[in-house]
Amino acid sequence: MRKQVKTGIVGLDEMLSGGLLEGSTTLVKGAPGTGNTTLGMQFLHSGITDEDERGLLVSFEEFPFSLHRDALSLGWDLRKLEKEERLRLIFTSPRIFLASLQSPESPLNLTIQEWDIRRLVLDSISHFTRMTRDPKELRQIYNRVINGLKREGITSILTSEDSGTGLSTEEKGRLSFIVDNIILTRYVEIDSSMQRALLVLKTRGSDHAKEIRRFKLREGGIVVGTKFEGREALLSGSPRAIAPGR
Ligand SMILES: Nc1ncnc2c1ncn2[C@@H]1O[C@H](COP(=O)(O)OP(=O)(O)OP(=O)(O)O)[C@@H](O)[C@H]1O
Ligand SMILES: [Mg+2]
């Protein structure tokens, strides 16, 4: 049986029946600000501190200072982990990342080999849509990225921006079909307040919980709470209380 890799987020690992399968690729898809980068950082941070596994974060969007600052507000000192050579942050472009992944002698591949990288976060995969308008070519790009990571046996999290409406550009490359697992994050409006919701939409090779659960962001990261009871159409953007007697 393949080893399970814990995300380090207790409730999420429960929902995933123990964790992510080693070497699998997980898409974390959500509206801006819901906590996608945080989920990825927590996965890396937990790998480093709980499992003594080095982590690699590849960012196409945030500047180093803002990533360090955001992480610090969650209680994670990334600079310290980088100094201790347990974490590597790479700020690059999708094009350079893809070329590096495909050339064995690139600094990226050397880091992966020499550091024995087991966990990687790509923030965000949505940026690859800038490389082409052709859905077929986009699918090939996704396949190259994902196969490159799988070849190294890396368990990866790919974040993705998702407005929740219509067919997103990246879906034209059928990303959801290529990845092994999908986790959705959403804002839901309940009784005039915005709450964060989390759902495991698919896992390949293992079972997963089907319910939608609340989660919060606080110092220490994501805390998964209870499921939404007595509500329906949560992901539609206009949830309703379930009428009594139903
Ligand atoms: N210490 C903290 N306590 C509570 N909430 C926090 C804390 N630090 C950050 N947040 C919240 O985390 C959210 C941003 O998280 P994150 O950057 O992971 O989201 P994201 O989905 O990656 O967003 P983006 O669309 O900007 O990439 C913000 O809404 C912010 O309010
Ligand atoms: Mg982000």
Side-chain angles (χ1 to χ4, degrees), residues 19-70:
L20 303 168
L21 286 183
E22 188 172 34
S24 66
T25 311
T26 303
L27 184 65
V28 174
K29 222 171 139 138
T34 39
N36 303 312
T37 303
T38 304
L39 197 154
M41 282 200 294
Q42 194 161 351
F43 166 71
L44 294 182
H45 191 268
S46 162
I48 293 166
T49 54
D50 302 334
E51 313 286 339
D52 203 18
E53 286 182 355
R54 285 162 159 168
L56 178 61
L57 188 138
V58 179
S59 177
F60 301 139
E61 39 196 70
E62 286 195 69
F63 289 111
F65 79 88
S66 78
L67 201 68
H68 284 126
R69 182 201 55 204
D70 294 354

Side-chain angles (χ1 to χ4, degrees), residues 31-38 61 70 73-74 187 196 217-219:
T34 39
N36 303 312
T37 303
T38 304
E61 39 196 70
D70 294 354
S73 90
L74 294 156
Y187 281 117
R196 287 182 166 93
L217 287 176
R218 57 171 69 138
E219 197 175 334

Side-chain angles (χ1 to χ4, degrees), residues 7 20 26-28 39-40 43 120-123 155-159:
T7 64
L20 303 168
T26 303
L27 184 65
V28 174
L39 197 154
F43 166 71
L120 181 144
V121 170
L122 201 65
D123 192 28
T155 312
S156 62
I157 287 191
L158 319 174
T159 66

Side-chain angles (χ1 to χ4, degrees), residues 8-9 12 28 30-43 62 70-76 159 183-187 194-198 213-226 228:
I9 302 167
L12 178 59
V28 174
T34 39
N36 303 312
T37 303
T38 304
L39 197 154
M41 282 200 294
Q42 194 161 351
F43 166 71
E62 286 195 69
D70 294 354
L72 215 49
S73 90
L74 294 156
W76 302 324
T159 66
I183 298 170
L184 282 185
T185 63
R186 283 278 185 279
Y187 281 117
M194 294 302 264
Q195 300 188 14
R196 287 182 166 93
L198 187 82
R213 305 231 333 226
R214 291 180 172 79
F215 76 96
K216 288 196 167 143
L217 287 176
R218 57 171 69 138
E219 197 175 334
I222 290 176
V223 180
V224 176
T226 52
F228 290 89

Side-chain angles (χ1 to χ4, degrees), residues 78-174:
L78 302 188
R79 244 183 255 280
K80 180 168 167 274
L81 295 177
E82 284 181 276
K83 275 202 198 111
E84 294 169 351
E85 301 200 337
R86 301 162 86 193
L87 174 73
R88 178 58 75 82
L89 304 183
I90 295 180
F91 299 90
T92 184
S93 72
R95 200 171 291 280
I96 293 174
F97 174 75
L98 186 57
S100 309
L101 194 62
Q102 293 186 301
S103 51
E105 296 302 314
S106 68
L108 173 72
N109 273 318
L110 292 179
T111 299
I112 291 174
Q113 302 296 335
E114 285 166 13
W115 281 42
D116 189 23
I117 294 293
R118 312 309 311 143
R119 298 180 181 222
L120 181 144
V121 170
L122 201 65
D123 192 28
S124 75
I125 189 102
S126 307
H127 288 253
F128 285 99
T129 56
R130 284 187 297 168
M131 285 175 68
T132 177
R133 287 169 166 268
D134 175 17
K136 266 201 203 124
E137 202 184 339
L138 187 59
R139 189 178 172 109
Q140 279 172 359
I141 291 173
Y142 289 148
N143 271 319
R144 272 187 232 138
V145 171
I146 290 168
N147 291 340
L149 298 175
K150 282 190 187 278
R151 191 186 57 221
E152 303 298 333
I154 294 174
T155 312
S156 62
I157 287 191
L158 319 174
T159 66
S160 146
E161 291 145 26
D162 178 24
S163 57
T165 51
L167 189 68
S168 59
T169 322
E170 62 209 34
E171 269 329 303
K172 291 182 187 135
R174 297 169 69 82

